[in-house]
Amino acid sequence: MIRPAPAIEAIPAMTPFIGPEQLMRESGRSELVRLGANESAFGPSPRAVEAMAAELPRISWYGDPESYDLRVALSRKHGCNVDELVVGAGIDDLMGLVVRAFVAPGGAALTTRGSYPTFNYHVTGYGGRLVSASYRDDGMPDLDALLEVANQEKPSLIYLANPDNPSGTFVRKEQMIAFFDALPRDAVFLLDEAYADFVDESDLLPPHVEDRLIRTRTFSKAYGMAGSRIGYAIASQTNIATLQKIRLHYGVNRNAQIGALASLDDEPFRRYVVDEVAAARADYYRLAADLGLASIESFTNFVCIDLGTADRATRVMNELLARGVWIRKPGLPPLDRFVRVSAGTEPMRDAFEAAFRAVLSEVPA
Ligand SMILES: *Cc1c(COP(=O)(O)O)cnc(C)c1O
């Protein structure tokens, strides 16, 4: 009998994300209003599209395995050295490398229960032991509880998304500095800044390179390049050298390198997206308030709306899907009573609003 390696056999079967394409196949729909994956509704920068289109005939070439030009541009943006950066096929890829590098089989890794699930998926996949602290009821990660579990369980890796997914909440700079200072000195802190482009740089943990800090960024959200799969990590030279040993050297799409580089040159476009997203959030807050529902103030490109119970939130999500509007919801308490809606264009928001109003009247509290 053929069996996988024991560590792999021990992993429970799971599908962390059911994509909208699968949902469309299942429901026989040819179209969905895509508000479920925090993709950008505002597309990539026209400059990125132009640069990628111009280079497309050379897709027969591998990309530069060092992503050198992009790293040079990123080193300027972040005021760090080129050898303090590594480019990967999105944060999801880099997160896998960080887990593999810093969590030994059987070792503990700490996260917030119900936060970004790909971290958990990698920890389990590499044979680590996941430990967690809960969210607070207001949607903030409970930093005190995280510190307590960190001191008890001695994880070698501690994960926090800031701004957070799925809550949209944001830990402010002073609090983040205090949290980082209070963490055990022998643990690596993986700070996932997938949504950093939606907040002011001055509100984030200041640029800082130290062996116990790894930050990740992506072109998937504000830069609207999710499908091209490209992101990067900022870390100490030593840690980058470690990740360098295990990364897939030709794992980054050549066109993505080109598009990412062009995007960095288009700051007005990023500002435009950030403003559009702010308008979308404001619309969702207003809609929720108008319906007598609470929402969580978001620092990302999505908003969580409170439906009171997990059961109602799930039913509302399913009914919206039946009407062709795809959203997601947090899976675990205390946030499982919310639905999470990505920032759409105005027509997408209108479609969501109409369907949401209709569904709410059918799915009683
Ligand atoms: C979207 C998201 C990611 C994934 O980023 P990619 O670069 O597309 O892999 C990682 N972390 C968080 C918190 C996210 O919301």
Side-chain angles (χ1 to χ4, degrees):
M1 186 181 158
I2 304 293
R3 295 173 72 169
I8 302 304
E9 198 163 36
I11 303 171
M14 57 180 159
T15 309
F17 296 104
I18 297 172
E21 292 78 11
Q22 174 68 16
L23 296 172
M24 288 194 292
R25 282 190 293 272
E26 284 169 7
S27 64
R29 279 185 177 275
S30 59
E31 232 183 331
L32 285 178
V33 182
R34 283 173 83 113
L35 296 172
N38 308 336
E39 296 158 324
S40 180
F42 307 98
S45 153
R47 282 200 206 172
V49 173
E50 198 184 321
M52 289 190 288
E55 281 291 322
L56 197 55
R58 273 174 288 283
I59 201 75
S60 48
W61 296 355
Y62 290 107
D64 170 10
E66 306 307 325
S67 295
Y68 188 77
D69 295 344
L70 180 57
R71 282 162 63 224
V72 168
L74 290 169
S75 73
R76 288 198 194 108
K77 172 176 159 118
H78 293 293
C80 65
N81 297 320
V82 174
D83 56 11
E84 291 166 339
L85 289 159
V86 63
V87 174
I91 293 179
D92 288 358
D93 173 31
L94 295 159
M95 199 179 268
L97 298 180
V98 172
V99 169
R100 188 174 162 204
F102 294 101
V103 183
L110 172 62
T111 186
T112 297
R113 192 152 51 253
S115 186
Y116 191 64
T118 306
F119 179 75
N120 310 10
Y121 157 86
H122 285 306
V123 170
T124 312
Y126 287 112
R129 187 168 54 87
L130 199 66
V131 295
S132 61
S134 183
Y135 278 102
R136 296 184 344 195
D137 202 56
D138 63 2
M140 292 296 290
D142 191 334
L143 301 184
D144 295 334
L146 281 170
L147 285 174
E148 208 175 297
V149 179
N151 288 318
Q152 272 163 17
E153 300 281 348
K154 311 262 180 280
S156 55
L157 182 63
I158 296 163
Y159 175 78
L160 189 76
N162 194 49
D164 177 67
N165 182 7
S167 68
T169 55
F170 180 57
V171 177
R172 303 241 171 225
K173 180 162 69 179
E174 285 65 34
Q175 233 191 330
M176 185 55 90
I177 293 171
F179 177 69
F180 181 59
D181 284 345
L183 286 173
R185 299 273 131 184
D186 54 357
V188 171
F189 180 41
L190 175 55
L191 178 58
D192 181 349
E193 297 182 315
Y195 299 96
D197 298 302
F198 295 105
V199 298
D200 285 340
E201 193 73 33
S202 61
D203 292 331
L204 295 164
L205 191 69
H208 179 83
V209 172
E210 164 173 356
D211 280 343
R212 64 189 190 92
L213 175 64
I214 300 178
R215 306 168 84 147
T216 52
R217 301 279 181 104
T218 183
F219 289 93
S220 294
K221 304 284 159 62
Y223 290 105
M225 290 185 48
S228 73
R229 312 302 305 125
I230 189 160
Y232 57 99
I234 312 168
S236 70
Q237 194 185 336
T238 312
N239 285 341
I240 295 294
T242 298
L243 301 176
Q244 172 77 4
K245 291 197 254 183
I246 53 172
R247 78 185 172 89
L248 194 55
H249 291 89
Y250 285 100
V252 179
N253 180 319
R254 182 176 189 274
N255 239 17
Q257 292 171 323
I258 289 160
L261 187 58
S263 298
L264 287 179
D265 254 347
D266 198 354
E267 180 59 15
F269 178 78
R270 188 192 66 88
R271 284 254 45 108
Y272 153 78
V273 172
V274 167
D275 290 347
E276 289 293 321
V277 163
R281 285 193 310 247
D283 257 8
Y284 292 150
Y285 298 150
R286 263 195 303 271
L287 173 63
D290 188 46
L291 291 162
L293 303 172
S295 53
I296 303 178
E297 186 188 6
S298 168
F299 295 79
T300 63
N301 65 349
F302 58 84
V303 170
C304 275
I305 299 176
D306 193 344
L307 289 168
T309 64
D311 178 58
R312 189 173 192 223
T314 302
R315 282 188 297 152
V316 165
M317 176 180 72
N318 291 338
E319 284 301 316
L320 285 171
L321 182 62
R323 290 164 193 262
V325 177
W326 176 58
I327 62 163
R328 281 199 175 119
K329 67 176 288 303
L332 295 174
L335 301 186
D336 55 352
R337 65 182 196 271
F338 291 88
V339 290
R340 190 196 70 183
V341 191
S342 306
T345 58
E346 253 182 77
M348 292 166 85
R349 270 131 64 189
D350 289 346
F352 168 73
E353 174 169 350
F356 193 52
R357 284 183 186 278
V359 163
L360 280 185
S361 60
E362 283 171 19
V363 182

